[in-house]
Amino acid sequence: DAKTTQPPSMDCAEGRAANLPCNHSTISGNEYVYWYRQIHSQGPQYIIHGLKNNETNEMASLIITEDRKSSTLILPHATLRDTAVYYCIVRVAHPRGSNYKLTFGKGTLLTVNP
Amino acid sequence: NAGVTQTPKFRVLKTGQSMTLLCAQDMNHEYMYWYRQDPGMGLRLIHYSVGEGTTAKGEVPDGYNVSRLKKQNFLLGLESAAPSQTSVYFCASSLVSGRSDTEAFFGQGTRLTVV
């Protein structure tokens, strides 16, 4: 799986959009970009994933650059409850392969301030 | 539908003792994972399973064994606990669907202290 690089921490004002970047310059064509978050020692929670098109769901939007070497997770209106560590993960898409696993890095600690 | 349930939630072991952590999921997921998380660190994969009766090593498998005798259960065993195994352990499961899996669901964690 391709490695990812994220800033260790970011701040955001409540009610503003939070834009979390992730670099994955070695991503290959069959690898997806996944985002998870972990709120204070709880189990991680899935947010969104995508291959090459931008994706949006009720939680966030995922913007993937055309060359797929980086992506941005957007929380449109951050709240205090969005304070968490956000993990960007790149992994192979094909199931049942021997390398099929979900590997986490250190992520970005997003702090939403009142 | 309980999702992913980990048992126990807390445990204190003495060095050299053994124990088994149980992970149960009721979503008929094929893939299951065991992670550990140490203070200030991300999650590290210990072992995982791509189906009933199969297991594979992750990043930090030493000192742990696993079994997946039933599709819904994934057991993590510590044969001889060491203080270095003090950590929070998370189990997860995911469903394989088409060309990519769906989201992975995580349990609430087991806080293990080895003294």
Side-chain angles (χ1 to χ4, degrees):
Chain A
D1 296 339
K3 292 196 179 299
T4 62
T5 303
Q6 299 177 252
S9 63
M10 294 182 63
D11 287 327
C12 177
E14 187 177 20
R16 306 296 291 269
N19 297 280
L20 291 90
C22 180
N23 287 321
H24 31 79
S25 58
T26 61
I27 193 170
S28 60
N30 66 344
E31 290 181 315
Y32 283 67
V33 180
Y34 288 80
W35 284 85
Y36 283 76
R37 74 179 183 182
Q38 186 175 24
I39 298 174
H40 186 55
S41 73
Q42 296 179 17
Q45 175 190 24
Y46 166 85
I47 301 173
I48 199 168
H49 77 282
L51 182 62
K52 53 184 177 182
N53 297 319
N54 298 336
E55 302 287 345
T56 295
N57 62 22
E58 64 279 5
M59 290 183 66
S61 295
L62 174 60
I63 309 298
I64 303 174
T65 58
E66 192 170 345
D67 62 8
R68 301 187 69 238
K69 293 184 177 181
S70 65
S71 60
T72 301
L73 178 74
I74 301 173
L75 307 178
H77 305 287
T79 71
L80 299 179
R81 288 178 294 181
D82 291 322
T83 292
V85 177
Y86 288 77
Y87 298 98
C88 170
I89 300 163
V90 170
R91 45 100 47 98
V92 295
H94 298 295
R96 306 189 188 284
S98 61
N99 291 323
Y100 187 89
K101 53 187 180 288
L102 199 61
T103 303
F104 289 76
K106 294 186 177 181
T108 296
L109 173 60
L110 174 69
T111 302
V112 181
N113 300 305
Chain B
N1 189 337
V4 178
T5 303
Q6 292 184 229
T7 308
K9 291 183 171 52
F10 302 91
R11 185 72 186 268
V12 178
L13 281 180
K14 294 183 178 179
T15 298
Q17 285 185 318
S18 64
M19 77 164 295
T20 300
L21 282 66
L22 171 62
C23 177
Q25 52 94 3
D26 60 2
M27 297 171 283
N28 201 34
H29 285 175
E30 295 186 39
Y31 284 65
M32 296 188 75
Y33 314 80
W34 274 109
Y35 293 87
R36 63 175 288 173
Q37 186 172 34
D38 300 311
M41 303 281 289
L43 282 79
R44 292 186 290 170
L45 183 65
I46 304 172
H47 287 280
Y48 64 105
S49 168
V50 301
E52 181 178 326
T54 70
T55 62
K57 294 180 179 180
E59 305 168 75
V60 288
D62 294 341
Y64 305 94
N65 57 74
V66 288
S67 63
R68 183 97 182 269
L69 299 179
K70 294 182 179 180
K71 187 177 184 178
Q72 63 268 33
N73 295 336
F74 195 29
L75 278 63
L76 177 71
L78 287 73
E79 290 187 348
S80 179
S84 60
Q85 293 178 304
T86 293
S87 189
V88 180
Y89 292 84
F90 289 102
C91 175
S93 70
S94 63
L95 176 68
V96 176
S97 175
R99 293 190 61 198
S100 74
D101 65 325
T102 57
E103 60 195 270
F105 291 82
F106 282 79
Q108 287 305 299
T110 296
R111 284 157 179 75
L112 175 65
T113 301
V114 182
V115 297

